[in-house]
Amino acid sequence: MRNRFDFLGGVIFEGCSVSNISIYEDAAVLQLADGRILSSRLIIDAMGNFSPVVRQIRRGRKPDGVCLVVGSCCRGFKENSTSDVIFSSASVKKVGNSEAQYFWEAFPAGSGPLERTTYMFTYLYPEPESPLLEELLEDYWELMPKYQGVSFDDLEVLRVIYGIFPTYCDSPLPAAFDRVLQFGDASGIQSPVSFGGFGSLTRHLGRLTIGIHEAIENNFLDAESLSLLNPYMPNLSASWLFQRAMSGKKQSDVSPTFINELLFANFQSMEKLGDPVLRPFLQDVIQFGPLVKTLGLVMLNKPLIIPSIFKKVGLPVLLDWSGHFVMLGFYTFLSSFFDPVIRPWLSSFPAKTKYEWKRKLEAWKYGAGLDYSLNYLSESKKEE
Ligand SMILES: Cc1cc2nc3c(=O)[nH]c(=O)nc-3n(C[C@H](O)[C@H](O)[C@H](O)COP(=O)(O)OP(=O)(O)OC[C@H]3O[C@@H](n4cnc5c(N)ncnc54)[C@H](O)[C@@H]3O)c2cc1C
């Protein structure tokens, strides 16, 4: 990939820090910390969750939620053939001055047959008394061997891994400045319930590559045109309820086992509904049909969990979510029935209208999770 980039004339400045960006009518000028100056028509801000540009756009606002992750890659797992996407065995527990619900993920590492990566993660309301990464790591070392059924003395620690994933309700982030577009984690396009930002980045890469190319080619580099590349996506906004529901918080009127009960009810229903419902959810794609089916089945099988959801997340979050849920249905309708009507006319539109409509069609498709395809599964079933 690097060779291809070099071959196409790309230049990489390694170990450089951006200290300043100035926007002019015909260019964006980027100043590096070592004093060098680079001029560009469009700056792609891929500086991650802690991008200084994003901090400026969000005016240093506290995130609405945060996911903390600690983990390691260790050698010495004799049983190393299975994976957990999400695992939970204990209820909400006290950590420092706060409370947290721990979730786990584990999978074989590609580096060797006995090597395994394990993560422990938790969703929090960011508050001064929220648990520290150090406190989570202390718990991780104690709990991980129990979770994996191994003795810590038999393991060789190869790597320690940790991460802080701040999340904002108003994501993805529209472009706030002409000639600067957020990309990847900086754009907030990743799901608030997973730390799978790389997966999400690759999911959107195709549409963003084409969109950015068209924006540059036609000089649609004002903030409004660039914002169409990071549009409102109801399926992403609807995921917020799940983060809220899984966040540990002191609540005397909610059972400490509520989160596990909710997860169990949901996953049990999704398993019954099969791959078309379970697979997209596990890959961070929320779709209207599967969501309606899962919620319907949970309500039928476990109606008493509904009042606890109300207590746990609160009425404002539920009302907000209902709006996104309706929009998810609307985007699904638009993408399924209106897109095929508009698409044949695109090439006859003037350049700006064409650019705007293409972005709108993408927003409907991706915002309804309809970019996700289960085709490869049906293909493999046919082969069986
Ligand atoms: C422990 C952990 C586990 C993860 N597991 C998964 C997983 O299983 N699946 C998955 O899909 N994703 C996973 N992720 C998330 C994934 O790593 C990110 O979503 C992905 O790296 C985002 O890429 P990015 O390019 O947007 O940002 P980043 O990878 O964060 O890159 C941002 C870059 O910008 C640079 N930068 C910041 N400020 C400046 C500045 N002022 N000047 C110059 N450069 C700057 C940084 O040094 C960094 O190199 C995990 C992350 C962590 C921490």
Side-chain angles (χ1 to χ4, degrees), residues 3 25 36 68 80 83 86 96 132 138 153 169 179 181 186 209 233 237 241 285 288 316:
N3 288 346
E25 228 166 71
R36 269 185 292 182
L68 294 184
N80 194 21
S83 305
I86 183 164
L132 306 173
E138 290 295 338
D153 295 337
C169 293
R179 299 185 181 279
L181 176 70
T209 308
M233 299 205 175
S237 302
L241 182 77
V285 180
F288 186 67

PDB file of all heavy atoms in Angstrom, residues 3 25 36 68 80 83 86 96 132 138 153 169 179 181 186 209 233 237 241 285 288 316:
ATOM      1  N   ASN A   3       3.929   1.441  -1.093  1.00  0.00           N
ATOM      2  CA  ASN A   3       4.593   1.558  -2.398  1.00  0.00           C
ATOM      3  C   ASN A   3       3.673   2.192  -3.430  1.00  0.00           C
ATOM      4  O   ASN A   3       4.082   3.025  -4.230  1.00  0.00           O
ATOM      5  CB  ASN A   3       5.030   0.176  -2.907  1.00  0.00           C
ATOM      6  CG  ASN A   3       6.199  -0.334  -2.106  1.00  0.00           C
ATOM      7  OD1 ASN A   3       6.827   0.443  -1.377  1.00  0.00           O
ATOM      8  ND2 ASN A   3       6.473  -1.620  -2.205  1.00  0.00           N
ATOM      9  N   GLU A  25      -9.548  31.394   0.925  1.00  0.00           N
ATOM     10  CA  GLU A  25     -10.568  31.147  -0.086  1.00  0.00           C
ATOM     11  C   GLU A  25     -10.157  30.050  -1.072  1.00  0.00           C
ATOM     12  O   GLU A  25     -10.975  29.253  -1.496  1.00  0.00           O
ATOM     13  CB  GLU A  25     -10.826  32.443  -0.862  1.00  0.00           C
ATOM     14  CG  GLU A  25     -12.297  32.756  -0.990  1.00  0.00           C
ATOM     15  CD  GLU A  25     -12.506  34.168  -1.442  1.00  0.00           C
ATOM     16  OE1 GLU A  25     -12.210  34.414  -2.618  1.00  0.00           O
ATOM     17  OE2 GLU A  25     -12.938  35.001  -0.626  1.00  0.00           O
ATOM     18  N   ARG A  36       7.549  23.764   9.215  1.00  0.00           N
ATOM     19  CA  ARG A  36       7.281  23.570   7.783  1.00  0.00           C
ATOM     20  C   ARG A  36       5.833  23.921   7.466  1.00  0.00           C
ATOM     21  O   ARG A  36       4.947  23.781   8.332  1.00  0.00           O
ATOM     22  CB  ARG A  36       7.560  22.123   7.383  1.00  0.00           C
ATOM     23  CG  ARG A  36       8.991  21.948   6.926  1.00  0.00           C
ATOM     24  CD  ARG A  36       9.221  20.558   6.425  1.00  0.00           C
ATOM     25  NE  ARG A  36       9.142  19.591   7.515  1.00  0.00           N
ATOM     26  CZ  ARG A  36       9.341  18.287   7.339  1.00  0.00           C
ATOM     27  NH1 ARG A  36       9.592  17.810   6.147  1.00  0.00           N
ATOM     28  NH2 ARG A  36       9.274  17.459   8.354  1.00  0.00           N
ATOM     29  N   LEU A  68     -14.214   2.479  28.094  1.00  0.00           N
ATOM     30  CA  LEU A  68     -12.819   2.254  28.508  1.00  0.00           C
ATOM     31  C   LEU A  68     -12.479   0.786  28.253  1.00  0.00           C
ATOM     32  O   LEU A  68     -13.281  -0.096  28.582  1.00  0.00           O
ATOM     33  CB  LEU A  68     -12.638   2.535  29.998  1.00  0.00           C
ATOM     34  CG  LEU A  68     -12.824   3.964  30.494  1.00  0.00           C
ATOM     35  CD1 LEU A  68     -12.494   4.045  31.978  1.00  0.00           C
ATOM     36  CD2 LEU A  68     -11.944   4.934  29.721  1.00  0.00           C
ATOM     37  N   ASN A  80      -7.423 -22.532  22.643  1.00  0.00           N
ATOM     38  CA  ASN A  80      -7.354 -21.248  21.943  1.00  0.00           C
ATOM     39  C   ASN A  80      -8.036 -21.321  20.585  1.00  0.00           C
ATOM     40  O   ASN A  80      -7.498 -20.858  19.583  1.00  0.00           O
ATOM     41  CB  ASN A  80      -5.876 -20.851  21.788  1.00  0.00           C
ATOM     42  CG  ASN A  80      -5.716 -19.405  21.384  1.00  0.00           C
ATOM     43  OD1 ASN A  80      -6.614 -18.594  21.587  1.00  0.00           O
ATOM     44  ND2 ASN A  80      -4.578 -19.070  20.785  1.00  0.00           N
ATOM     45  N   SER A  83     -13.840 -17.738  20.117  1.00  0.00           N
ATOM     46  CA  SER A  83     -13.810 -16.275  20.329  1.00  0.00           C
ATOM     47  C   SER A  83     -15.077 -15.860  21.062  1.00  0.00           C
ATOM     48  O   SER A  83     -16.114 -16.508  20.931  1.00  0.00           O
ATOM     49  CB  SER A  83     -13.799 -15.538  19.006  1.00  0.00           C
ATOM     50  OG  SER A  83     -12.749 -15.959  18.204  1.00  0.00           O
ATOM     51  N   ILE A  86     -18.836 -10.586  22.827  1.00  0.00           N
ATOM     52  CA  ILE A  86     -19.148  -9.883  24.080  1.00  0.00           C
ATOM     53  C   ILE A  86     -19.543 -10.943  25.107  1.00  0.00           C
ATOM     54  O   ILE A  86     -20.334 -11.840  24.812  1.00  0.00           O
ATOM     55  CB  ILE A  86     -20.235  -8.795  23.882  1.00  0.00           C
ATOM     56  CG1 ILE A  86     -20.487  -8.022  25.168  1.00  0.00           C
ATOM     57  CG2 ILE A  86     -21.527  -9.356  23.349  1.00  0.00           C
ATOM     58  CD1 ILE A  86     -21.237  -6.707  24.974  1.00  0.00           C
ATOM     59  N   GLY A  96     -13.462   2.069  42.488  1.00  0.00           N
ATOM     60  CA  GLY A  96     -13.124   3.389  43.033  1.00  0.00           C
ATOM     61  C   GLY A  96     -14.374   3.998  43.643  1.00  0.00           C
ATOM     62  O   GLY A  96     -15.076   3.346  44.421  1.00  0.00           O
ATOM     63  N   LEU A 132     -10.574   4.772  36.837  1.00  0.00           N
ATOM     64  CA  LEU A 132      -9.347   5.058  36.079  1.00  0.00           C
ATOM     65  C   LEU A 132      -8.935   3.807  35.319  1.00  0.00           C
ATOM     66  O   LEU A 132      -9.273   2.687  35.732  1.00  0.00           O
ATOM     67  CB  LEU A 132      -8.216   5.433  37.046  1.00  0.00           C
ATOM     68  CG  LEU A 132      -8.494   6.562  38.036  1.00  0.00           C
ATOM     69  CD1 LEU A 132      -7.342   6.673  39.027  1.00  0.00           C
ATOM     70  CD2 LEU A 132      -8.660   7.877  37.269  1.00  0.00           C
ATOM     71  N   GLU A 138      -6.079  -3.276  37.166  1.00  0.00           N
ATOM     72  CA  GLU A 138      -5.933  -4.090  38.387  1.00  0.00           C
ATOM     73  C   GLU A 138      -6.984  -5.199  38.380  1.00  0.00           C
ATOM     74  O   GLU A 138      -6.684  -6.357  38.647  1.00  0.00           O
ATOM     75  CB  GLU A 138      -6.124  -3.218  39.646  1.00  0.00           C
ATOM     76  CG  GLU A 138      -5.003  -2.221  39.916  1.00  0.00           C
ATOM     77  CD  GLU A 138      -3.681  -2.907  40.228  1.00  0.00           C
ATOM     78  OE1 GLU A 138      -3.692  -4.075  40.635  1.00  0.00           O
ATOM     79  OE2 GLU A 138      -2.634  -2.264  40.026  1.00  0.00           O
ATOM     80  N   ASP A 153       0.102 -17.690  36.217  1.00  0.00           N
ATOM     81  CA  ASP A 153       1.512 -18.132  36.221  1.00  0.00           C
ATOM     82  C   ASP A 153       1.887 -18.862  34.922  1.00  0.00           C
ATOM     83  O   ASP A 153       3.061 -18.937  34.571  1.00  0.00           O
ATOM     84  CB  ASP A 153       1.759 -19.080  37.410  1.00  0.00           C
ATOM     85  CG  ASP A 153       1.574 -18.346  38.719  1.00  0.00           C
ATOM     86  OD1 ASP A 153       1.707 -17.101  38.706  1.00  0.00           O
ATOM     87  OD2 ASP A 153       1.263 -18.996  39.725  1.00  0.00           O
ATOM     88  N   CYS A 169     -23.320  12.177  21.214  1.00  0.00           N
ATOM     89  CA  CYS A 169     -24.636  11.873  20.615  1.00  0.00           C
ATOM     90  C   CYS A 169     -24.733  12.455  19.208  1.00  0.00           C
ATOM     91  O   CYS A 169     -25.282  11.827  18.314  1.00  0.00           O
ATOM     92  CB  CYS A 169     -25.756  12.499  21.431  1.00  0.00           C
ATOM     93  SG  CYS A 169     -25.941  11.804  23.042  1.00  0.00           S
ATOM     94  N   ARG A 179     -12.880  23.336   3.523  1.00  0.00           N
ATOM     95  CA  ARG A 179     -11.612  22.669   3.187  1.00  0.00           C
ATOM     96  C   ARG A 179     -11.049  21.747   4.274  1.00  0.00           C
ATOM     97  O   ARG A 179      -9.891  21.354   4.227  1.00  0.00           O
ATOM     98  CB  ARG A 179     -10.520  23.707   2.814  1.00  0.00           C
ATOM     99  CG  ARG A 179     -10.899  24.533   1.604  1.00  0.00           C
ATOM    100  CD  ARG A 179      -9.796  25.451   1.160  1.00  0.00           C
ATOM    101  NE  ARG A 179     -10.245  26.211   0.006  1.00  0.00           N
ATOM    102  CZ  ARG A 179     -10.244  25.743  -1.241  1.00  0.00           C
ATOM    103  NH1 ARG A 179      -9.765  24.549  -1.482  1.00  0.00           N
ATOM    104  NH2 ARG A 179     -10.687  26.482  -2.231  1.00  0.00           N
ATOM    105  N   LEU A 181     -12.126  18.147   6.337  1.00  0.00           N
ATOM    106  CA  LEU A 181     -13.121  17.089   6.524  1.00  0.00           C
ATOM    107  C   LEU A 181     -12.602  16.070   7.534  1.00  0.00           C
ATOM    108  O   LEU A 181     -11.481  15.576   7.400  1.00  0.00           O
ATOM    109  CB  LEU A 181     -13.394  16.389   5.180  1.00  0.00           C
ATOM    110  CG  LEU A 181     -14.358  15.198   5.247  1.00  0.00           C
ATOM    111  CD1 LEU A 181     -15.784  15.675   5.524  1.00  0.00           C
ATOM    112  CD2 LEU A 181     -14.322  14.396   3.953  1.00  0.00           C
ATOM    113  N   ALA A 186     -12.041  10.473  14.037  1.00  0.00           N
ATOM    114  CA  ALA A 186     -12.252  11.919  14.211  1.00  0.00           C
ATOM    115  C   ALA A 186     -13.659  12.319  13.765  1.00  0.00           C
ATOM    116  O   ALA A 186     -14.256  13.240  14.329  1.00  0.00           O
ATOM    117  CB  ALA A 186     -11.205  12.706  13.419  1.00  0.00           C
ATOM    118  N   THR A 209     -14.293   7.656  -0.473  1.00  0.00           N
ATOM    119  CA  THR A 209     -13.279   7.852  -1.514  1.00  0.00           C
ATOM    120  C   THR A 209     -13.915   8.518  -2.736  1.00  0.00           C
ATOM    121  O   THR A 209     -13.404   9.516  -3.259  1.00  0.00           O
ATOM    122  CB  THR A 209     -12.658   6.495  -1.924  1.00  0.00           C
ATOM    123  OG1 THR A 209     -12.238   5.837  -0.748  1.00  0.00           O
ATOM    124  CG2 THR A 209     -11.500   6.653  -2.872  1.00  0.00           C
ATOM    125  N   MET A 233     -26.998   9.848  10.456  1.00  0.00           N
ATOM    126  CA  MET A 233     -27.292   8.430  10.194  1.00  0.00           C
ATOM    127  C   MET A 233     -28.133   7.902  11.338  1.00  0.00           C
ATOM    128  O   MET A 233     -27.613   7.700  12.442  1.00  0.00           O
ATOM    129  CB  MET A 233     -25.999   7.632  10.078  1.00  0.00           C
ATOM    130  CG  MET A 233     -25.141   8.122   8.950  1.00  0.00           C
ATOM    131  SD  MET A 233     -24.051   6.891   8.324  1.00  0.00           S
ATOM    132  CE  MET A 233     -23.361   7.793   6.941  1.00  0.00           C
ATOM    133  N   SER A 237     -27.313   6.892  15.453  1.00  0.00           N
ATOM    134  CA  SER A 237     -27.918   7.600  16.582  1.00  0.00           C
ATOM    135  C   SER A 237     -28.758   6.650  17.434  1.00  0.00           C
ATOM    136  O   SER A 237     -28.803   6.780  18.654  1.00  0.00           O
ATOM    137  CB  SER A 237     -28.787   8.747  16.083  1.00  0.00           C
ATOM    138  OG  SER A 237     -28.006   9.620  15.302  1.00  0.00           O
ATOM    139  N   LEU A 241     -28.970   4.344  22.501  1.00  0.00           N
ATOM    140  CA  LEU A 241     -29.772   3.766  23.582  1.00  0.00           C
ATOM    141  C   LEU A 241     -29.032   2.561  24.180  1.00  0.00           C
ATOM    142  O   LEU A 241     -29.041   2.356  25.387  1.00  0.00           O
ATOM    143  CB  LEU A 241     -31.133   3.330  23.044  1.00  0.00           C
ATOM    144  CG  LEU A 241     -32.070   2.747  24.097  1.00  0.00           C
ATOM    145  CD1 LEU A 241     -32.666   3.866  24.941  1.00  0.00           C
ATOM    146  CD2 LEU A 241     -33.189   1.955  23.445  1.00  0.00           C
ATOM    147  N   VAL A 285     -23.911  -3.028  12.666  1.00  0.00           N
ATOM    148  CA  VAL A 285     -24.827  -2.438  11.696  1.00  0.00           C
ATOM    149  C   VAL A 285     -26.254  -2.625  12.216  1.00  0.00           C
ATOM    150  O   VAL A 285     -26.722  -3.752  12.366  1.00  0.00           O
ATOM    151  CB  VAL A 285     -24.670  -3.094  10.302  1.00  0.00           C
ATOM    152  CG1 VAL A 285     -25.632  -2.464   9.317  1.00  0.00           C
ATOM    153  CG2 VAL A 285     -23.236  -2.947   9.814  1.00  0.00           C
ATOM    154  N   PHE A 288     -33.434  -1.565  10.340  1.00  0.00           N
ATOM    155  CA  PHE A 288     -34.798  -1.383  10.858  1.00  0.00           C
ATOM    156  C   PHE A 288     -35.515  -2.728  11.084  1.00  0.00           C
ATOM    157  O   PHE A 288     -36.000  -2.993  12.191  1.00  0.00           O
ATOM    158  CB  PHE A 288     -35.591  -0.502   9.887  1.00  0.00           C
ATOM    159  CG  PHE A 288     -36.951  -0.131  10.400  1.00  0.00           C
ATOM    160  CD1 PHE A 288     -37.103   0.705  11.497  1.00  0.00           C
ATOM    161  CD2 PHE A 288     -38.095  -0.624   9.789  1.00  0.00           C
ATOM    162  CE1 PHE A 288     -38.360   1.045  11.978  1.00  0.00           C
ATOM    163  CE2 PHE A 288     -39.353  -0.291  10.262  1.00  0.00           C
ATOM    164  CZ  PHE A 288     -39.482   0.542  11.356  1.00  0.00           C
ATOM    165  N   PRO A 316     -36.134  11.159  28.582  1.00  0.00           N
ATOM    166  CA  PRO A 316     -35.576  11.964  27.478  1.00  0.00           C
ATOM    167  C   PRO A 316     -34.787  11.122  26.470  1.00  0.00           C
ATOM    168  O   PRO A 316     -34.953  11.289  25.255  1.00  0.00           O
ATOM    169  CB  PRO A 316     -34.656  12.973  28.186  1.00  0.00           C
ATOM    170  CG  PRO A 316     -35.154  13.023  29.592  1.00  0.00           C
ATOM    171  CD  PRO A 316     -35.716  11.682  29.897  1.00  0.00           C
TER     172      PRO A 316
END
